[in-house]
Amino acid sequence: ISRGSRVLLTESLPLGVVRLADKHGRNDPPTPEDLAEMKKQVRAVAKRAAQAVRKTEFRTCVGSSGTIQSLSMVFEAAIRGRELGPSGHRTLTRAGLKQVNRLLRRTTLKEKLKIPGLDPRRRDIAVAGGLLLAWILKRTGAEEIMVGERGLREGVLLDFVRRQGERKVPDRNVRARSVDRLLRRSNA
């Protein structure tokens, strides 16, 4: 949680989607028991942190992981039927995430390959990611999450460059942006 550049609260929890999927994602698609076990683990690890975040009365929730990006793209492409445009920020509401989670929970890994917007490399962790994000949004009181197009690595790199005193960070080149758009459109 931050206000401007001032950090007010930080939390780091041993609760990633890969860990969650590996431990509780034995069935394809997951059973109600698998989902209940995932929720139980999330609650046990994150309950205190979620309460602390909620008390701050934050205004904007931002997500930057590839899993969150993929979930927001599924909402746009598979649920809303929109063609995925060039890169940019998206907003994913709790209601929209609920629709995405319903779709992901009832499909097998093979069927997930056909879901528009879903990064095929994330299909095995998408259910765990959706469940974790839904739990966090609900427990912190966030109605939506702004999904950034960049991830943690880019942030670390930009922070490093800023600390080195460089005034302007060049944008990624045209070729890289073009390749990114093509990959997203072809679901590759």
Side-chain angles (χ1 to χ4, degrees):
I1 306 290
S2 66
R3 183 170 292 120
S5 62
R6 200 174 100 220
V7 176
L8 305 175
L9 173 68
T10 61
E11 291 284 342
S12 179
L13 305 172
L15 189 65
V17 294
V18 173
R19 184 180 298 183
L20 204 54
D22 284 348
K23 189 170 182 182
H24 302 291
R26 294 177 286 279
N27 297 296
D28 183 30
T31 65
E33 292 79 20
D34 293 334
L35 297 172
E37 285 298 315
M38 281 187 216
K39 286 180 186 176
K40 184 178 176 182
Q41 182 177 353
V42 170
R43 187 178 326 112
V45 174
K47 183 178 180 181
R48 187 196 57 75
Q51 289 170 341
V53 168
R54 188 179 192 118
K55 286 179 185 176
T56 66
E57 298 180 356
F58 64 92
R59 286 191 272 165
T60 306
C61 183
V62 179
S64 65
S65 79
T67 301
I68 293 173
Q69 292 165 351
S70 191
L71 293 170
S72 72
M73 290 169 64
V74 169
F75 177 70
E76 290 296 323
I79 304 297
R80 295 180 88 183
R82 293 186 175 176
E83 186 174 323
L84 294 173
S87 60
H89 300 306
R90 293 179 176 79
T91 299
L92 181 60
T93 64
R94 277 178 44 198
L97 179 59
K98 191 174 192 174
Q99 292 176 295
V100 170
N101 283 343
R102 263 192 240 120
L103 171 64
L104 295 174
R105 289 174 182 173
R106 70 174 185 252
T107 55
T108 65
L109 288 175
K110 187 174 181 179
E111 292 166 338
K112 282 178 178 61
L113 286 171
K114 297 176 185 170
I115 296 177
L118 182 62
D119 181 342
R121 297 170 301 177
R122 297 187 184 279
R123 66 189 169 121
D124 58 336
I125 61 171
V127 170
L131 181 140
L132 178 58
L133 182 57
W135 191 93
I136 290 170
L137 292 178
K138 183 175 182 180
R139 296 306 184 278
T140 60
E143 287 301 318
E144 63 184 26
I145 185 166
M146 180 190 299
V147 182
E149 68 174 324
R150 305 269 194 250
L152 187 57
R153 278 180 290 222
E154 288 90 353
V156 170
L157 179 61
L158 289 172
D159 185 58
F160 173 77
V161 170
R162 183 186 59 80
R163 289 174 191 252
Q164 299 304 311
E166 191 165 312
R167 298 228 179 248
K168 185 174 181 185
V169 178
D171 195 7
R172 294 172 64 201
N173 68 42
V174 174
R175 179 186 285 172
R177 287 193 310 267
S178 177
V179 169
D180 285 345
R181 276 194 297 273
L182 177 62
L183 288 171
R184 275 195 292 278
R185 281 189 197 136
S186 60
N187 218 6

